[in-house]
Amino acid sequence: MTTQSMTDRELAAQPAAYWTGMAYEALIAFTRARQAEHGFTQPQFWLLRNLSANDLSPDGQGRTVVELRQAMSSYLRAEDDLEAEAEVLLERGWLRRDGEGRLWITEVGEVARVDLGKHSPAIREAIHRGIDDADYVTVLKVLRQMLQNTTGVGGV
């Protein structure tokens, strides 16, 4: 029996952890495959974003790989090697490393960050195809409530 042939009652009995885990793995794999088609990795994009004063960097200052790993700890995967990813960006001239080992985004890296970000809407559109925004919001509200119920964290 597939989930498409299950009744609402049968679906309601399905374990949320299984489905959220399956969705997480599929969404990450899909996103990373689309990014790879454009010549970059998700961790490379995150490095640029976390070093850009125009994006996630709180102050536009350089950061060590250790500091960047800490800043990204909630979304890095175990297999993500930030040092290796940074080396690629250093070779491309998108980052530079100072004498104290801090990474800084370059002007060319800032242009690349903006260009790479232009792929995000198409990736989102492919993932959300056939899903009404209202349904998507409902799913997120349900997941947020599940987090509240299991961790006491409601402001996620």
Side-chain angles (χ1 to χ4, degrees), residues 80-137:
D80 293 340
D81 182 346
L82 287 186
E83 189 64 54
E85 299 288 2
E87 286 301 320
V88 172
L89 298 179
L90 287 161
E91 291 171 14
R92 291 180 182 172
W94 296 359
L95 297 181
R96 67 176 177 82
R97 192 184 309 261
D98 68 18
E100 296 176 8
R102 287 186 306 264
L103 296 168
W104 297 78
I105 192 168
T106 64
E107 288 182 28
V108 174
E110 181 63 21
V111 170
R113 180 193 65 80
V114 171
D115 287 344
L116 298 178
K118 291 177 182 175
H119 299 291
S120 296
I123 294 170
R124 182 193 187 281
E125 182 180 317
I127 291 170
H128 287 241
R129 189 174 303 124
I131 301 168
D132 182 75
D133 282 348
D135 289 339
Y136 180 70
V137 168

Side-chain angles (χ1 to χ4, degrees), residues 36-61:
E37 290 170 359
H38 295 289
F40 69 101
T41 68
Q42 193 170 48
Q44 290 168 357
F45 187 47
W46 290 337
L47 283 166
L48 294 172
R49 294 192 67 203
N50 276 273
L51 290 168
S52 174
N54 299 310
D55 202 335
L56 297 176
S57 174
D59 57 13
Q61 297 299 301

Side-chain angles (χ1 to χ4, degrees), residues 14-34:
Q14 291 288 302
Y18 171 79
W19 288 104
T20 56
M22 292 292 289
Y24 172 77
E25 292 299 329
L27 292 168
I28 293 295
F30 180 85
T31 299
R32 289 181 174 208
R34 298 301 77 74

Side-chain angles (χ1 to χ4, degrees), residues 128 134-147:
H128 287 241
D135 289 339
Y136 180 70
V137 168
T138 298
V139 168
L140 293 185
K141 286 179 177 180
V142 168
L143 291 172
R144 185 175 59 192
Q145 185 62 49
M146 287 181 174
L147 285 169

